[in-house]
Amino acid sequence: MDRRSLMAEIQLNPRYKEAVAKVVNQSPYFSLLSMEIKNLDWGTSLLEIQLAEKHLQPFGFVHGGVIASIVDAATFWAVFPQVENEMGLTTVEIKVNYLAPAKEGKLVAEGRCVKKGKTLALGEAYIRNGEGNLIAHGTTTMMVVPDLHVPGYENLPPSRGD
């Protein structure tokens, strides 16, 4: 069975998905950027930012740091459900290709786990505007870290099952 077929067969617990989104969406950085997890699945994530004036650089376009942030977050949350409970993740490298400017509307990030190993993971994300046009593509390398926890994570339901 290939990796995509395996990813499609593994289902995340709906209570886990809801609880993670609630904790993360209320975090200070996500609130600052108006960023939200819209969906999590095994090996994929969907995030959105409703754009506002606070996201714009002096020339009136979305700042590259906002786009890099959603790339980082989308790849992280695509990988995170695959990490064992006593482990965490941290990004150690990010690469972003900026392909078109954005000014208004929303950014939609589709994150995907390319590979998760014992100590490193690779993720990629496609960032589109509200009309579906590709704005950016990025990859991240993440390190699996023991004893790195999201506060409140220990109270989350199990990631698989119901």
Side-chain angles (χ1 to χ4, degrees):
M1 178 179 297
D2 71 1
R3 179 166 171 69
R4 285 184 192 230
S5 298
L6 180 61
M7 285 174 34
E9 284 191 21
I10 298 174
Q11 299 294 314
L12 287 182
N13 177 352
R15 293 184 312 116
Y16 171 84
K17 292 166 53 166
E18 183 179 313
V20 166
K22 182 177 180 184
V23 168
V24 174
N25 291 345
Q26 293 175 356
S27 71
Y29 194 66
F30 269 58
S31 295
L32 176 70
L33 289 182
S34 303
M35 184 163 40
E36 291 186 328
I37 294 175
K38 293 296 191 177
N39 192 39
L40 286 179
D41 282 309
W42 189 263
T44 64
S45 69
L46 183 69
L47 281 71
E48 287 185 6
I49 294 178
Q50 294 298 322
L51 295 174
E53 187 176 356
K54 68 182 178 181
H55 298 109
L56 305 180
Q57 39 89 312
F59 296 101
F61 297 106
V62 174
H63 192 283
V66 174
I67 294 169
S69 288
I70 200 169
V71 165
D72 190 29
T75 56
F76 181 96
W77 291 107
V79 172
F80 190 78
Q82 298 179 45
V83 175
E84 295 78 21
N85 286 343
E86 67 279 356
M87 305 294 246
L89 284 173
T90 190
T91 301
V92 295
E93 185 267 342
I94 185 169
K95 178 174 186 324
V96 180
N97 292 102
Y98 299 96
L99 304 172
K103 285 187 171 191
E104 58 189 15
K106 66 181 175 180
L107 297 179
V108 179
E110 297 174 51
R112 179 176 79 90
C113 175
V114 176
K115 182 172 186 337
K116 188 246 170 226
K118 287 182 181 180
T119 58
L120 292 175
L122 176 66
E124 75 172 338
Y126 291 89
I127 313 305
R128 300 181 193 288
N129 64 15
E131 290 76 45
N133 298 318
L134 189 61
I135 300 299
H137 173 265
T139 59
T140 61
T141 304
M142 293 157 275
M143 182 171 54
V144 180
V145 181
D147 299 319
L148 182 63
H149 304 283
V150 173
Y153 186 75
E154 60 279 353
N155 298 323
L156 292 177
S159 62
R160 292 192 264 170
D162 35 51

